[in-house]
Amino acid sequence: MAEETYPPFKIAKIEISKTISRRQHFQRVHKKLLNHKDVIFEALQQLESDWAGFCFVKILFCNADESCNFTEAYCKTMRNVQEKNPAGRRIVWIPDLFDVALLKSFLDNEDVEEQILDKHLVAFEKLGQFLDTVEDTNKILQNELKIESIKEGRWASIFGTHVLKMLAVYDQMKIDSGYCELSTECPCGCKKPINIDDNSMGHEEVWHGSVDILLGPTCIEVFNSYQGDEDDFLESSNSAFERKRGKLENSQNQLISESITFAFAMRGGVVPLIGISKSSFIIYMYDPDDDLLYESTSMPLFLDSVKGRQLHFSSVVALWIAINHSYFFKGVQASHVEFGYKANLQNFLGEEQHEIYQKHIRMGGLRHVNSNVVEFKAGMNKGKFKRF
Ligand SMILES: [Zn+2]
């Protein structure tokens, strides 16, 4: 039976004159990126180091089998990096999953013209355009960061419009209509249009709900207040897994349930779910075929400099590569499957729910579905409980 798949995504329109040959396009993009060579090399060097990485997540207990909104989902988890046996504490570095080297070879002017497809050129050009105007973007974000209690919807609109969408090869960015404070224009005053839509997904009988931003085949969930996690990133460079976890971790129930549901909604293929706060971001990727759940370290969005808070370039490149993952994802490595640190999602699903996840998860139309699970406090007992 042919299942409904998510509609294909339009590639961003980048003005390429019809008279320009591929060779000329190649050279134009190359020249553009060379203007930012030092910055990009530094970022790539960091992404190839232990600055950030992924671990595997195992579910110990969850309510994926219940009719439950993402905001009420719970998911008790364990990471392979927490295992007692050191042999199990292995980390997946970014170049193991994404073809970071391609950008490097392109910049180095290696003989890679054959390897670099038109779609890569479009992605490289987007990165170049972003870096051309990054000073202006920094100013816009700095102004927003001055607002003490910036609303989630405003931050989603502004960060989405000026950073995420600008890095993406996809034309479509949809902000969830659940934000009551949203307007159809970017709230920073630039008047760029905002596309507000129904970003719900899932199924009535299992996990479902809305994600804040849908950008091509990437989901982004935005969180507002993470006071306290900023200090983590002001420390001098230390290895990724020594770094304290940001408060994004507190939202992991929601992020994991969205990541798993989104992966099923996309029907095969590993797709990222990015959780973003005002100071950091984290990436989850679930592979439904091999039942592997990758979780990245939390990466800083900004660096403090004499010019004020500036976007962290390594993070910008990491975001760019994650958003445009369909161009750079190398696929789940056989060694990761053999390593066998599975999420074990199936252990928590009956036959019926298993079939729902496999065949009936859908995009849209789930905004008004009630959750069967509620947050409840009774005396000493506080938690998420199922309704009668
Ligand atoms: Zn704006």
Side-chain angles (χ1 to χ4, degrees), residues 33-46:
L33 281 192
L34 276 187
N35 293 333
H36 307 287
K37 192 175 177 180
D38 293 348
V39 170
I40 298 174
F41 268 148
E42 205 179 307
L44 289 177
Q45 218 171 14
Q46 209 155 25

Side-chain angles (χ1 to χ4, degrees), residues 140 158 161-162 186-192:
I140 293 169
I158 290 171
T161 304
H162 291 282
C186 176
C188 90
C190 69
K191 296 201 181 300
K192 285 191 179 173

